[in-house]
Amino acid sequence: MAGPALERFLSDEAATIRFGQDLAMALHPGDVLALSGDLGAGKSTLARALIRALADDAGLDVPSPTFTLVQSYDGRLTVHHFDLYRLADASELDELGFDEALAQGAVLVEWPERAAGYLPAGAVTVVLKHQGDGRLAHLSGDGPAFQRIARSLAMRDFLGRSGWGDATRRHFVGDASARSYEIVRLPDVEPRILMNSPPLVLGPPVRDGKAYAEIAHTSRTVAAFVAIDRALAAGGVTVPEIFSQDLDQGFLLTEHLGSGPFLDDGRPMADRYVAAAELLAFMHGQSWPYRPEAKPGVVHEVPPFDRAAMTIEADLLVDWYIPAVTGAPASDAVHDGYQREWNALFDRLAEAETTLMLRDFHSPNIVWRPERKGHDRLGILDFQDALVGPSAYDVASLAMDARVTVPPEIEKVTYDAYVAARQAAGDFDADAFAEAYAIMAAQRNSKILGIFVRLDRRDGKPTYLKHLPRIRDYLRRALAHPALAGLKAFYEKNGILEERTL
C-alpha cells in the first residue's frame, strides 16, 4: 500500500533551492532521499541546494556524480550523493559502499529506479516534473523521514505566513529534547530564529498511572515558552522577542539574541557568573505571574516543583546511574534508604523561599552580550519548563554548571554575589538559603547523573558520559553541608561518589 504523499509547486530556481533547504533541515543519519525526474527536471539543482544547506556553504562546489557515481560531503551530517544513471545492475551498489554510506549519514540518490528493490523501506521519493514555467515536486514515503520532511515543509509555510517565506534556512542547534532551532535570513534584515517545538509525546506510565513528564511537570506545548517569555520580558529580563507564533503546530519566529557564548573559549569567567547571579537576585526580588498568557485566552499554569517532581527526578540516580555502575538494579533496601533520606530533606524545604524557577539556568542557555549594560548583558533562553520552586535551585544550576567545570572559587563568588545582592535589597535569611542551596544542588546533580546515563543507555547519546566526573564533584560539594550528613553517609556507603568509568 502506498504511503502518504505531498506536492509542492516550485515556481522558479529560487523556489527549488528553498525546497532543497527544507529537505536538508529534516534529514537525519540513515535517511534515504530518492530523486526522480526527466533530464532537466531540476534534480541537480535540488541536490546541490540540499548539500550546500547541510554544509552551510552557499558556494560549495557540488559536481554531478554522473561519472564518479558517488560523491560525499561533510556538514551538519555526512551526505553521500549517488547518481545511478550509469549503473548496470543494482548489485553494483555493494561495490559503491551503499550500506556503509547509509551507516555514516544520509543518502541522496538520483535515478533510484535503477536500484529497484535495493533502497530501504523508509526511503522518501521526490519526483520532479515540469509544470508550466516551473516544476512540481511530488513526495511520497512512509516513516519518520517523511514525517520530518512534512514538518519541515509546514515550517516553510509558517515562514510564509510570517512574511519570511523567501528566507534561507540553516540548522542552528538542537538539544536533548525534540526541539530544534534554525537561523533564517533575508537580505538586509537581522537574522531570526525559527523554533521547532513539537507537542511533547508522553512516554509510558512510570508511577501512579502517570508518565515521567507528567510527574516532573515537563512542558507539553510551545505555549509554555511563549507565556513565560512574555512574563519575563514584562519583568525586565532579556528574552527573545516573539515575532510570530503557531501554538498548535509548535512553531515560533523569534529574535536572535546573538551568539556570544557565556563561556570564554569553554572556560567559566567569574565576572559573567557574578552578573548572572545578580540577575537571579533581581528576578527573585520581585513577584511573577503564575498564570501568564501565551495569547489572549490561552493561559499557562506554571506548575509547582512539588515533592513528587523532586522525587521522580532524584530517582533517576537509582533507576539509571546505580545499575550502570554496579551492573545490577538497585536493591529494595537501596531504594528505601534513598527515599528515606530524600524525604527528610524535602521536609526541610517546606519553608524555603519560592519563586519563578527557570530550571535550566546555566551556560548553554545564557547569551553573553558585552556591548550591553546591566542585566541586558545576559540574554536568557530555554525556560519553557519553569516551575514555582525554591529560589536556591537556579542559583545551584548556575554555580554548579552541568556543562562546564566551575572551580570552587568561582562557585563561591557566584554564590556570594547572589547573597550580597539579595541582602542589599532587603531582608534575606542567608542561613536558610544556604541549606536550601545545598539540598537543591544535591537533588539536581543526582538527577543529572541519572539523566546523562539514560541519554547514553536509552537514547544512544554517549557524549553525555564525559560530564559524569564533574557532576560527582558537584555532589561532593553539596553534600558537605551539615544538613545533608545523612544523605552523604548513604551515598558513601553505596559507592555513589566513587569515580567510575562507564
Side-chain angles (χ1 to χ4, degrees), residues 31-33 35 47 50-51 79-83 106-110:
D31 288 346
V32 175
L33 199 60
L35 301 183
L50 185 153
I51 292 167
V79 61
H80 305 274
H81 182 194
F82 288 80
D83 187 324
V107 171
L108 186 62
V109 182
E110 295 189 49

Side-chain angles (χ1 to χ4, degrees), residues 149-160:
I149 288 172
R151 186 163 179 84
S152 182
L153 295 177
M155 292 168 71
R156 175 64 71 178
D157 294 340
F158 168 70
L159 286 174

Side-chain angles (χ1 to χ4, degrees), residues 450-471:
I451 285 178
F452 285 175
V453 171
R454 187 178 69 181
L455 284 166
D456 169 53
R457 301 298 168 92
R458 189 191 72 181
D459 303 332
K461 299 178 179 179
T463 57
Y464 287 89
L465 296 180
K466 67 184 179 183
H467 300 297
L468 296 184
R470 173 188 311 120
I471 305 306

Side-chain angles (χ1 to χ4, degrees), residues 405-429:
T405 299
V406 179
E409 57 271 22
I410 293 183
E411 180 199 352
K412 185 177 186 304
V413 298
T414 303
Y415 178 92
D416 289 347
Y418 174 86
V419 171
R422 292 298 306 275
Q423 289 176 328
D427 291 337
F428 180 71
D429 190 335

Side-chain angles (χ1 to χ4, degrees), residues 293-364:
E293 281 192 329
K295 67 177 184 180
V298 178
V299 173
H300 171 62
E301 298 270 0
V302 182
F305 194 32
D306 52 27
R307 185 178 295 245
M310 293 182 190
T311 300
I312 200 164
E313 287 188 347
D315 281 354
L316 290 170
L317 183 142
V318 289
D319 293 341
W320 290 93
Y321 181 78
I322 288 180
V325 298
T326 65
S331 67
D332 289 344
V334 169
H335 270 286
D336 292 345
Y338 192 76
Q339 293 287 333
R340 184 171 56 253
E341 295 297 339
W342 273 114
N343 275 317
L345 291 174
F346 295 152
D347 287 342
R348 299 180 73 98
L349 283 176
E351 302 302 320
E353 176 191 72
T354 60
T355 185
L356 182 67
M357 186 186 102
L358 300 190
R359 207 172 195 173
D360 280 315
F361 191 86
H362 58 168
S363 59

Side-chain angles (χ1 to χ4, degrees), residues 212 216 280 284 305 309-310 313-314 342 346 349 352-362 385-402 415 418 422 433-448 451:
Y212 177 90
L280 283 177
H284 297 169
F305 194 32
M310 293 182 190
E313 287 188 347
W342 273 114
F346 295 152
L349 283 176
E353 176 191 72
T354 60
T355 185
L356 182 67
M357 186 186 102
L358 300 190
R359 207 172 195 173
D360 280 315
F361 191 86
H362 58 168
D385 291 328
L387 303 173
V388 181
S391 55
Y393 187 96
D394 281 347
V395 183
S397 176
L398 171 68
M400 296 187 185
D401 196 322
Y415 178 92
Y418 174 86
R422 292 298 306 275
F433 181 81
E435 179 175 295
Y437 173 86
I439 295 171
M440 288 288 81
Q443 189 271 350
R444 177 173 171 81
N445 286 295
S446 296
K447 172 189 74 172
I448 292 172
I451 285 178

Side-chain angles (χ1 to χ4, degrees), residues 14-37:
T16 302
I17 291 171
R18 290 193 294 272
F19 182 58
Q21 295 172 8
D22 298 340
L23 296 176
M25 294 302 101
L27 288 185
H28 284 189
D31 288 346
V32 175
L33 199 60
L35 301 183
S36 293

